[in-house]
């Protein structure tokens, strides 16, 4: 059988390694076979392809040293970094380091907490659901590119540094294949940008595809204004769904969520009821802390796609935190019927059954969660079981569960805080202080342990420590009345002195 036919067959069946091997054999016999060269380049590209439409995770470099925003203090409701108080308070729903309520569905952009300072970013050993600080997106692309080189023991398939880009730019079919290989496989953004610029010029600036690729290169390099111009120019020539999503992603990186939502809504006029656009709008509202609006858009998603996991999970989480666990149970059961069986789902079902007073199902769900959990997930499951134990009045069981949670995840700040409260009930004040200090170092953005530490220090007569701790508590949660009252009492005491 013809080797080229077999290679094409493997490629269509997404067996890219086998396709690349057959193309290598063809090129060994005829190094100038352009069809085999192009097919091998595409096969290698598909092995490491990353969808640029999905918003990437922002790491320390992007979150701390971000110079894309114009104003340091944005108006409420206009920035992803300044979450308004429209959503639930931190006393009801856990929040990230930036004060944003944690989403009900883990997706790119929701795992990091956007630490406020470099010192805080470097010393934070635990973000939401991770055991270490999230690395930058650029680092992820570099690691993928270097790992893919292991498939070529004799060296790279294409020596990018020796290519004549003007020659390839004049041949559009080969130029597009070569660009994707350089951009995705080699992760050489600067050379990819050079090829795209020459090809755009060769096409007399009339090819929308090359303008989109220029925008991707500018985005990777952090040149968001240039990327915006390229995407807008491409949309004038050809309205494509991916281009609309990429343009909205650029506005999010420039901290312009309202402009991003406007872009997505303009896309809905051309692509009515498109699921990806509806989900994108809901995500932006979710990141801005506008949970009611996010739920509305997620419901619109379910009207067009009734089995969308992200929409179902996000709506279920919002219903749970608005004291409607019965509705959350129905939604989580729907996910079970769809064949999703993981730790998070059984953990959430256990909590919903407990608060809906369906106690016969609560421990069964937590048992399933424990049987499926790995080392990183055990901490959250044991922490939630401790709440059930506290609810039934078994403080000894709650104490053991919290100890197990810390043993599984030594960065679980909530477990440290609750364990300190139980230690205080046992009369061990020094150990309670030690646990609260550990929680304050791990999560300076939370308020509970700061307030508890301030209360302990006040009772012990250490007013200076109490004052500094209660200031941190008020900064983390300005509407917490107990913290405000304690701060007022301490100020009156200092004034009397």
């Amino acid at each position: 059988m013809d080797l080229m036919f077999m290679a094409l067959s493997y490629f269509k069946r997404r067996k890219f390694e086998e396709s690349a091997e057959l193309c290598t054999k063809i090129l060994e016999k005829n190094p100038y076979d352009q069809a085999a060269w192009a097919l091998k380049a595409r096969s290698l590209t598909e092995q490491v392809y990353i969808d640029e439409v999905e918003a990437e995770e922002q790491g320390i470099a992007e979150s701390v040293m971000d110079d894309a925003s114009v104003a340091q203090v944005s108006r409420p409701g206009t920035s992803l970094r300044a979450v308004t108080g429209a959503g639930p308070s931190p006393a009801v729903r856990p929040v990230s380091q930036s004060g944003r309520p944690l989403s009900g569905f883990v997706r790119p952009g929701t795992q990091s907490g956007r630490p406020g300072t470099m010192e805080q970013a470097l010393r934070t050993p635990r973000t939401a659901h991770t055991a270490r600080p999230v690395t930058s997106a650029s680092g992820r692309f570099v690691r993928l590119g270097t790992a893919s080189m292991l498939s070529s023991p004799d060296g790279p398939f294409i020596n990018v540094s020796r290519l004549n880009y003007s020659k390839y730019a004049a041949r559009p079919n080969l130029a597009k294949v070569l660009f994707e290989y350089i951009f995705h496989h080699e992760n050489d953004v600067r050379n990819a940008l050079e090829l795209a610029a020459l090809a755009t010029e060769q096409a007399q600036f009339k090819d929308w595809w090359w303008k989109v690729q220029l925008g991707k290169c500018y985005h990777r390099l952090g040149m968001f204004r240039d990327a915006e111009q390229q995407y807008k120019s491409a949309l004038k020539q050809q309205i494509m769904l991916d281009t609309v999503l990429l343009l909205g992603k650029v506005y999010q990186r420039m901290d312009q969520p309202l402009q991003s939502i406007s872009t997505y809504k303009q896309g809905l006029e051309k692509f009515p009821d498109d699921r990806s656009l509806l989900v994108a709008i809901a995500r932006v509202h979710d990141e801005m802390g506008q949970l009611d609006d996010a739920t509305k858009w997620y419901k619109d998603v379910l009207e067009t796609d009734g089995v969308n996991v992200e929409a179902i999970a996000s709506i279920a989480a919002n219903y749970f935190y608005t004291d409607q666990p019965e509705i959350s149970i129905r939604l989580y059961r729907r996910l079970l019927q769809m064949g999703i069986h993981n730790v998070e789902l059984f953990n959430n079902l256990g909590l919903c059954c407990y608060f809906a007073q369906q106690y016969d199902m609560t421990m069964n769900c937590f048992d399933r969660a424990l049987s499926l959990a790995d080392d990183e997930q055990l901490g959250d499951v044991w922490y939630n079981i401790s709440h059930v134990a506290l609810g039934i009045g078994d403080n000894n069981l709650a104490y053991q569960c919290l100890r197990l949670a810390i043993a599984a995840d030594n960065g679980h700040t909530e477990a440290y805080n609750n364990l300190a409260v139980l230690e205080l009930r046992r009369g061990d004040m020094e150990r309670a202080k030690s646990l609260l200090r550990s929680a304050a170092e791990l999560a300076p953005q939370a308020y509970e342990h700061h307030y508890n530490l301030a209360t302990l220090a006040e009772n012990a007569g250490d007013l200076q420590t109490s004052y500094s701790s209660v200031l941190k508590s008020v900064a983390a949660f300005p509407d917490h009345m107990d913290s405000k009252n304690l701060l007022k009492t301490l100020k009156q005491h200092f004034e009397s002195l």
Side-chain angles (χ1 to χ4, degrees), residues 427-495:
D428 193 345
M429 183 175 292
E430 291 301 322
R431 181 163 176 78
K433 285 184 179 179
S434 176
L435 290 169
L436 289 173
R437 289 193 188 100
S438 299
E441 291 178 0
L442 291 169
Q445 81 281 357
Y447 77 94
E448 297 95 336
H449 36 262
H450 290 304
Y451 172 73
N452 293 339
L453 192 58
T455 304
L456 285 181
E458 184 199 21
N459 293 335
D462 189 355
L463 300 182
Q464 191 63 41
T465 302
S466 177
Y467 184 73
S468 62
S469 297
V470 78
L471 283 178
K472 295 176 182 177
S473 177
V474 172
F477 185 16
D479 296 330
H480 190 226
M481 293 304 300
D482 291 336
S483 297
K484 292 166 71 174
N485 292 335
L486 179 57
L487 180 60
K488 183 178 179 181
T489 302
L490 290 173
K491 285 183 177 179
Q492 291 176 353
H493 182 79
F494 284 126
E495 289 174 357

Side-chain angles (χ1 to χ4, degrees), residues 6 75 103 118 120 156-157 162 181 202 289 293 305 325 331 349 351 362-363 366 372 387 389 391 445 449 462 468 481:
M6 292 178 62
R75 289 180 296 171
S103 61
M118 178 63 75
Q120 188 181 116
F157 167 54
R162 296 185 179 181
Y181 176 84
Q202 188 70 31
D293 293 331
D305 183 8
L331 293 168
L349 261 176
L351 286 174
T362 300
M363 294 313 298
F366 281 125
L372 295 172
H387 276 283
Q445 81 281 357
H449 36 262
D462 189 355
S468 62
M481 293 304 300

Side-chain angles (χ1 to χ4, degrees), residues 152-166:
S152 303
D154 299 329
F157 167 54
I158 300 174
N159 194 336
V160 177
S161 60
R162 296 185 179 181
L163 292 179
N164 183 357
Y165 293 115
S166 300

Side-chain angles (χ1 to χ4, degrees), residues 131-163:
R132 59 181 175 82
V134 180
T135 55
S136 66
S138 57
R140 179 187 65 176
F141 292 128
V142 169
R143 286 196 296 275
L144 285 174
T146 52
S148 64
M149 295 300 294
L150 297 176
S151 61
S152 303
D154 299 329
F157 167 54
I158 300 174
N159 194 336
V160 177
S161 60
R162 296 185 179 181
L163 292 179

Side-chain angles (χ1 to χ4, degrees), residues 1 10 18 148 160 208 309 464 472:
M1 186 177 292
Y10 278 131
E18 292 85 346
S148 64
V160 177
W208 66 270
V309 178
Q464 191 63 41
K472 295 176 182 177

Side-chain angles (χ1 to χ4, degrees), residues 74-333:
S74 305
R75 289 180 296 171
T78 63
S79 172
L80 297 175
R81 293 169 175 80
V83 180
T84 63
S89 69
V92 176
R93 184 168 184 171
V95 297
S96 65
Q97 291 185 3
S98 62
R100 181 179 301 115
L102 294 179
S103 61
F105 184 85
V106 177
R107 57 179 182 267
T110 62
Q111 297 194 30
S112 63
R114 280 203 184 100
T117 62
M118 178 63 75
E119 179 185 1
Q120 188 181 116
L122 294 176
R123 74 181 182 185
T124 303
R126 178 179 180 269
T127 58
H129 309 302
T130 60
R132 59 181 175 82
V134 180
T135 55
S136 66
S138 57
R140 179 187 65 176
F141 292 128
V142 169
R143 286 196 296 275
L144 285 174
T146 52
S148 64
M149 295 300 294
L150 297 176
S151 61
S152 303
D154 299 329
F157 167 54
I158 300 174
N159 194 336
V160 177
S161 60
R162 296 185 179 181
L163 292 179
N164 183 357
Y165 293 115
S166 300
K167 171 186 172 183
Y168 285 95
R171 308 178 68 176
N173 294 333
L174 290 180
K176 292 181 178 180
V177 174
L178 179 60
F179 172 85
E180 292 188 338
Y181 176 84
I182 297 173
F183 186 78
H184 293 288
H185 188 277
E186 297 295 319
N187 190 37
D188 192 341
V189 182
R190 294 187 181 277
N191 281 319
L193 178 62
E194 181 182 353
L195 175 60
L198 291 172
T200 304
E201 184 179 354
Q202 188 70 31
Q204 299 179 354
F205 305 96
K206 296 180 180 180
D207 193 335
W208 66 270
W209 190 89
W210 281 114
K211 293 183 178 181
V212 173
Q213 309 316 310
L214 278 172
K216 290 180 180 180
C217 293
Y218 286 134
H219 186 102
R220 284 271 192 100
L221 295 173
M223 304 166 64
F224 302 120
R225 288 296 180 187
D226 295 317
E228 176 192 7
Q229 293 178 1
Q230 295 297 329
Y231 290 143
K232 284 185 174 180
S233 178
L235 286 172
K236 289 180 180 178
Q237 293 180 346
Q238 180 71 39
I239 299 178
M240 298 294 292
L241 179 61
D242 282 0
T243 312
V244 176
L245 292 170
L246 288 169
L247 180 58
K249 175 182 167 183
V250 167
Y251 285 129
Q252 291 182 54
R253 288 302 303 272
M254 291 194 298
D255 195 23
Q256 298 179 15
L258 298 182
Q259 185 66 38
S260 178
I261 292 174
S262 176
T263 301
Y264 293 141
K265 288 182 178 179
Q266 292 175 10
L268 284 174
E269 296 177 0
K270 299 293 183 181
F271 305 97
D273 297 330
D274 183 82
R275 179 189 60 82
S276 56
L277 289 173
L278 294 173
V279 169
I281 295 174
R283 286 180 178 180
V284 177
H285 282 297
D286 201 352
E287 290 189 19
M288 294 173 67
Q290 301 170 353
L291 302 182
D292 292 337
D293 293 331
T295 302
K296 171 184 171 296
W297 284 99
Y298 278 128
K299 289 180 179 179
D300 292 341
V301 174
L302 292 181
E303 290 182 2
T304 58
D305 183 8
V307 293
N308 187 278
V309 178
E310 179 177 348
I312 295 174
S314 299
I315 294 173
N318 288 336
Y319 274 125
F320 175 78
Y321 287 114
T322 53
D323 296 327
Q324 302 180 68
E326 296 84 2
I327 301 178
S328 296
I329 292 176
R330 294 172 56 188
L331 293 168
Y332 286 129
R333 283 179 58 193

